[in-house]
C-alpha cells in the first residue's frame, strides 16, 4: 500500500475528535498533533464539482509552494492528510482546487496551530503551555480555539502558547520560580530572557597568577613525575609549552604571553591531562 494512501487512511483516526466542526472548502484546518505530525483536513460539500485537489506547502506564505499530495478521490466528503515530512512545524499550507468547469482556485495560506484537545489545563501551578506551537490564524483555522493566544518566546525561540486569560497567572509563576526577565515584546508575545549568573572563577591550585602578574606553577611531586604544561589563547591557538617541569615550584614571566587577557592551560602528567583550566594575565 503506498505510503501517501496509507496516510490518507490513517488521518481518519486523527480527525475523529473534531470533524463536526470542520471547515468546508475552500477553508481547511491545519493542526499540529505533536511528534512531527501536521494534519491538514477539510470538508467537501460540493460532491462531483471538484476534479482535483492538491495540498501544497511552502516556507513562505506567498511563494515557493510545492505540491506534497494530490488526493486520489477529491469528492470524499471529509478527508485529510498527515504530513510527517515538513522541515519544521510552522510552514505554510494551501489547497489547489480544480473544478469540473476548468476553473481553479487557491485557498488562503494557513500555518499549523496546536491541537488544544491534546493538552490538559488541570495543573494548579502552571497554566496551559502548549509546546511546539506556531503562529497562525487561530480564530479562523480551528473551532477548538475560542480566545486569543499569547505566544511565549525564550530568547528567539517560540516555546509554546498560553490562553490570554492565563497570562497573569503564568507571569506570576515565572516571577516566583525563576530569576528570568519577563516582558511583553508585543501585545500577543511574552518574551522570557533567561537569567545568566555571573561566572565564579576559582583559580587552579597548580597554576595561577601572582600579584605581580607573573605565573606561579606548583607541582609538589615534579621530581618523581613527568609534567608538561601547554598554554593556549581562548580560541585554542597554542601560545607556548613547558615541555618538562622539573621543580616543585616554577615562576613563568608574564612577558611569555605577549598580551594581557585570559589564557587556557593544560597540565599533562605522564602524558595524560591532569587539569584544564584558565588564568588571567594582567596589564603591566
Amino acid at each position: 500500500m503506498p505510503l501517501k494512501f496509507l496516510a490518507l487512511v490513517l488521518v481518519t483516526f486523527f480527525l475523529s475528535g473534531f470533524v463536526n466542526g470542520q471547515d468546508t472548502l475552500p477553508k481547511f484546518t491545519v493542526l499540529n498533533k505533536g511528534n512531527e505530525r501536521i494534519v491538514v483536513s477539510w470538508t467537501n460539500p460540493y460532491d462531483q464539482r471538484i476534479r482535483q485537489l492538491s495540498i501544497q506547502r511552502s516556507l513562505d506564505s506567498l511563494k515557493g509552494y510545492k505540491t506534497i499530495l494530490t488526493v486520489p478521490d477529491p469528492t470524499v466528503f471529509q478527508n485529510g492528510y498527515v504530513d510527517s515530512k515538513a522541515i519544521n512545524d510552522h510552514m505554510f499550507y494551501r489547497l489547489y482546487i480544480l473544478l469540473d468547469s476548468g476553473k481553479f482556485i487557491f485557498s488562503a495560506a494557513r500555518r499549523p496551530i496546536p491541537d488544544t484537545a491534546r493538552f490538559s489545563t488541570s495543573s494548579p501551578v502552571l497554566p496551559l503551555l502548549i509546546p511546539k506551537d506556531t503562529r497562525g490564524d487561530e480564530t479562523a483555522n480551528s473551532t477548538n480555539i475560542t480566545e486569543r493566544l499569547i505566544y511565549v518566546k525564550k530568547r528567539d525561540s517560540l516555546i509554546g502558547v498560553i490562553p490570554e486569560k492565563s497570562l497573569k497567572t503564568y507571569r506570576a509563576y515565572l516571577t516566583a520560580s525563576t530569576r528570568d526577565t519577563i516582558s511583553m515584546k508585543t501585545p500577543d508575545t511574552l518574551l522570557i530572557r533567561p537569567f545568566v549568573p555571573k561566572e565564579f572563577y576559582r583559580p587552579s591550585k597548580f597554576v595561577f597568577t601572582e600579584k605581580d602578574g607573573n605565573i606561579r606553577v606548583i607541582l609538589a611531586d615534579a621530581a618523581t613525575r613527568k609534567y608538561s604544561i601547554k598554554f593556549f589563547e581562548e580560541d585554542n591557538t597554542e601560545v607556548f609549552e613547558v615541555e618538562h617541569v622539573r621543580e616543585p615550584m616554577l615562576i613563568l614571566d608574564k612577558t611569555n604571553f605577549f598580551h594581557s587577557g585570559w589564557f587556557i592551560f593544560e597540565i599533562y602528567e605522564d602524558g595524560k591531562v591532569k587539569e584544564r583550566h584558565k588564568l588571567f594575565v594582567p596589564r603591566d
Side-chain angles (χ1 to χ4, degrees), residues 150-168:
I150 302 298
Y151 299 87
V152 181
K153 297 185 70 175
K154 180 172 286 189
R155 294 192 179 94
D156 295 326
S157 299
L158 187 62
I159 63 172
V161 297
I162 56 175
E164 185 177 25
K165 66 181 180 181
S166 299
L167 175 60
K168 184 176 180 179

Side-chain angles (χ1 to χ4, degrees), residues 199-205 207-208 262 265 275 277-279:
E199 183 180 359
F200 179 74
Y201 173 70
R202 186 185 300 275
S204 165
K205 64 180 181 180
V207 181
F208 51 88
W262 288 99
F265 65 85
E275 181 183 67
H277 209 320
K278 66 179 182 179
L279 55 81

Side-chain angles (χ1 to χ4, degrees), residues 138-280:
E138 63 271 9
T139 57
N141 204 20
S142 174
T143 56
N144 289 329
I145 297 178
T146 59
E147 63 174 298
R148 191 162 70 98
L149 298 177
I150 302 298
Y151 299 87
V152 181
K153 297 185 70 175
K154 180 172 286 189
R155 294 192 179 94
D156 295 326
S157 299
L158 187 62
I159 63 172
V161 297
I162 56 175
E164 185 177 25
K165 66 181 180 181
S166 299
L167 175 60
K168 184 176 180 179
T169 305
Y170 186 65
R171 291 189 66 170
Y173 165 81
L174 291 176
T175 301
S177 61
T178 74
R179 298 175 67 181
D180 298 341
T181 300
I182 316 298
S183 62
M184 294 300 296
K185 184 177 181 181
T186 64
D188 68 345
T189 302
L190 179 70
L191 180 62
I192 303 174
R193 293 186 176 90
F195 171 73
V196 180
K198 293 183 178 179
E199 183 180 359
F200 179 74
Y201 173 70
R202 186 185 300 275
S204 165
K205 64 180 181 180
F206 301 112
V207 181
F208 51 88
T209 306
E210 294 278 32
K211 291 182 179 180
D212 60 5
N214 293 323
I215 308 304
R216 182 182 293 266
V217 178
I218 296 179
L219 294 167
D221 55 351
T224 58
R225 296 281 188 178
K226 183 178 180 181
Y227 287 108
S228 62
I229 307 174
K230 290 183 179 181
F231 292 90
F232 306 88
E233 299 278 3
E234 288 189 286
D235 63 0
N236 288 320
T237 302
E238 186 171 341
V239 179
F240 69 94
E241 177 182 4
V242 180
E243 293 185 357
H244 194 174
V245 180
R246 301 178 184 278
E247 302 295 331
M249 194 273 289
L250 175 68
I251 298 294
L252 301 176
D253 195 283
K254 62 183 179 180
T255 57
N256 288 294
F257 295 88
F258 305 114
H259 64 84
S260 63
W262 288 99
F263 293 85
I264 299 169
F265 65 85
E266 292 179 345
I267 303 173
Y268 294 86
E269 180 181 4
D270 298 329
K272 297 181 180 180
V273 177
K274 177 182 178 67
E275 181 183 67
R276 179 180 171 88
H277 209 320
K278 66 179 182 179
L279 55 81
F280 185 80

Side-chain angles (χ1 to χ4, degrees), residues 43-212:
T43 297
N44 173 20
Y46 303 115
D47 197 11
Q48 301 298 323
R49 290 175 53 190
I50 296 180
R51 184 187 306 173
Q52 179 181 324
L53 190 151
S54 299
I55 304 171
Q56 298 182 339
R57 182 180 65 203
S58 174
L59 291 169
D60 188 285
S61 62
L62 300 176
K63 58 185 179 180
Y65 281 94
K66 293 184 178 180
T67 297
I68 60 174
L69 175 74
T70 296
V71 179
D73 185 359
T75 65
V76 174
F77 177 66
Q78 288 176 330
N79 211 339
Y81 173 64
V82 180
D83 182 13
S84 60
K85 296 183 179 180
I87 298 174
N88 55 56
D89 57 3
H90 50 275
M91 300 185 74
F92 290 89
Y93 292 80
R94 74 179 183 186
L95 300 181
Y96 166 80
I97 303 171
L98 176 64
L99 303 177
D100 278 341
S101 63
K103 295 182 179 180
F104 65 91
I105 59 174
F106 289 102
S107 70
R110 303 254 174 130
R111 274 181 166 177
I113 63 170
D115 179 11
T116 56
R118 297 175 55 243
F119 303 94
S120 170
T121 58
S122 59
S123 172
V125 178
L126 183 62
L128 176 65
L129 178 62
I130 305 173
K132 292 186 178 179
D133 169 61
T134 54
R135 192 177 292 270
D137 183 359
E138 63 271 9
T139 57
N141 204 20
S142 174
T143 56
N144 289 329
I145 297 178
T146 59
E147 63 174 298
R148 191 162 70 98
L149 298 177
I150 302 298
Y151 299 87
V152 181
K153 297 185 70 175
K154 180 172 286 189
R155 294 192 179 94
D156 295 326
S157 299
L158 187 62
I159 63 172
V161 297
I162 56 175
E164 185 177 25
K165 66 181 180 181
S166 299
L167 175 60
K168 184 176 180 179
T169 305
Y170 186 65
R171 291 189 66 170
Y173 165 81
L174 291 176
T175 301
S177 61
T178 74
R179 298 175 67 181
D180 298 341
T181 300
I182 316 298
S183 62
M184 294 300 296
K185 184 177 181 181
T186 64
D188 68 345
T189 302
L190 179 70
L191 180 62
I192 303 174
R193 293 186 176 90
F195 171 73
V196 180
K198 293 183 178 179
E199 183 180 359
F200 179 74
Y201 173 70
R202 186 185 300 275
S204 165
K205 64 180 181 180
F206 301 112
V207 181
F208 51 88
T209 306
E210 294 278 32
K211 291 182 179 180
D212 60 5

